[in-house]
Amino acid sequence: MTTGRDILPKPLVRALSERSDARGAWLVLHAWAVIAGAAAVAAIWPNPVTVVLAIMVIGSRQMGLAILMHDAAHGALFRTKALNETVGTWACAYPVFADMAAYRHYHLKHHRYTQQPEDPDLVLSKPFPVTRTSFWRKAVRDLTGQTAFKQRAAQVRMTLDAQKNADETTGAVQAFGTPSLWGPLAVNAGLFAALALSGYWWVYLAFWIVPLATWYQFVLRIRNIAEHAMVPDDDDPFRNARTTHANLLERVFFAPYWVNYHVDHHLYMYVPCWQLPRLHKALGEAGMHARMETKPGYLAVLRMATSRATAPA
């Protein structure tokens, strides 16, 4: 079977796979700066527009932290291994109640068995398409915090139970979760303490917990659908994942840090996220775009994902 590694010249692949400590640090700082800036604007000029936009922007950048954790789990966020492990865990994973070590173990299995029966992510893509009613029922649960509450409750049970249920552990990691809350609780306690000492304890609740419990969950659902649901060929590495072309608004609210280039990532999983547009261009110059599964935007994906006329019997 032809793969991307058979198409692109090795010197180009080596160049695209180069890591950068400076670029990795910039991406992490960028995510946190956007979060801080959005929270500050909404706190200084509170009104329905600034508050809702802040929740959406912050939730998207919280997803951005999870994406940067994903890059660190691949050893691709930083050139230095210690930075991948330390920054990926403490600055990216723990703040959003994720665990990079647990995620890496599960996620590499997803890469090894993409869309095959052994793929731990198959449960996320297999149910689609669904009816519009079914989709929006799930979206409402995401946007009202019900999904987040269910996930945190499962994490609490796993944290307190030394004999963790394997199914629950897998489910938590699929959602960028963690089988143990001690690390995330420590980091979040630090965030709350820092804001409380500065007199803005409520900012942690309004502009960290609320986005994490609402918009982040919705974006995570959209991302899971876009990446593997309803792909045309489970056995073709160019067509068992999907690259979604994202416009500026989609990149701001749904697809931070080039997460939309998912076929490209699966073909070359050690290419850093910031190199994925160059990788996509190189694959096009090699004549591979026509073979790749792509969609023109997230609305096109959602229309396909909600195309079932009636619920299954």
Side-chain angles (χ1 to χ4, degrees):
M1 179 182 293
T2 302
T3 68
R5 290 178 292 279
D6 302 316
I7 299 297
L8 299 182
K10 290 182 179 180
L12 175 59
V13 174
R14 283 195 295 269
L16 291 171
S17 300
E18 280 294 318
R19 283 78 158 169
S20 168
D21 287 348
R23 184 62 70 100
W26 161 249
L27 290 174
V28 175
L29 289 172
H30 178 271
W32 281 104
V34 172
I35 289 167
V41 168
I44 294 170
W45 296 288
N47 62 69
V49 173
T50 58
V51 169
V52 170
L53 283 177
I55 289 171
M56 293 171 68
V57 168
I58 292 168
S60 174
R61 289 306 123 173
Q62 289 169 328
M63 174 54 61
L65 291 175
I67 292 162
L68 296 179
M69 175 204 73
H70 162 269
D71 250 36
H74 280 291
L77 184 58
F78 294 96
R79 184 182 184 90
T80 304
K81 181 178 179 180
L83 287 175
N84 276 306
E85 297 300 315
T86 304
V87 178
T89 296
W90 291 93
C92 300
Y94 282 169
V96 296
F97 290 87
D99 183 301
M100 192 173 76
Y103 174 76
R104 178 191 288 122
H105 176 74
Y106 136 82
H107 185 65
L108 292 180
K109 186 176 181 181
H110 162 65
H111 273 273
R112 187 177 302 115
Y113 300 110
T114 305
Q115 291 297 106
Q116 302 304 306
E118 302 89 346
D119 183 357
D121 264 357
L122 197 61
V123 66
L124 301 175
S125 59
K126 188 177 180 180
F128 293 93
V130 297
T131 65
R132 290 186 180 181
T133 299
S134 175
F135 171 78
W136 286 113
R137 187 164 54 242
K138 294 177 177 64
V140 167
R141 289 200 294 264
D142 294 340
L143 294 170
T144 57
Q146 296 176 64
T147 303
F149 178 82
K150 182 178 178 181
Q151 290 175 355
R152 296 296 89 78
Q155 289 177 315
V156 168
R157 289 195 298 271
M158 288 184 288
T159 300
L160 298 177
D161 185 359
Q163 302 297 319
K164 301 180 181 68
N165 181 278
D167 292 334
E168 283 192 316
T169 301
T170 300
V173 175
Q174 282 171 333
F176 283 137
T178 171
S180 174
L181 282 173
W182 299 121
L185 285 175
V187 169
N188 275 268
L191 283 173
F192 177 77
L195 287 166
L197 289 172
S198 65
Y200 292 95
W201 62 268
W202 57 271
V203 169
Y204 172 79
L205 299 177
F207 298 119
W208 182 259
I209 294 300
V210 170
L212 190 63
T214 57
W215 190 254
Y216 170 88
Q217 297 294 336
F218 181 61
V219 172
L220 178 58
R221 187 176 300 279
I222 301 300
R223 169 190 169 273
N224 286 333
I225 294 170
E227 290 180 353
H228 291 286
M230 305 153 298
V231 291
D233 189 339
D234 289 344
D235 299 318
D236 184 344
F238 288 86
R239 294 167 67 78
N240 64 5
R242 178 178 296 106
T243 284
T244 305
H245 297 292
N247 60 33
L248 177 60
L249 286 177
E250 288 172 323
R251 293 198 301 272
V252 170
F253 293 113
F254 291 101
Y257 306 125
W258 309 281
V259 70
N260 53 301
Y261 291 99
H262 203 60
V263 176
D264 315 78
H265 167 64
H266 267 263
L267 292 171
Y268 294 96
M269 65 179 177
Y270 297 113
V271 169
C273 62
W274 53 274
Q275 291 277 40
L276 290 176
R278 286 184 59 199
L279 172 61
H280 187 73
K281 181 180 179 182
L283 288 167
E285 291 170 348
M288 301 310 296
H289 279 181
R291 181 175 170 182
M292 296 167 67
E293 164 65 6
T294 63
K295 280 290 179 285
Y298 283 87
L299 283 177
V301 173
L302 288 179
R303 280 195 292 268
M304 182 171 60
T306 59
S307 61
R308 185 186 289 273
T310 59

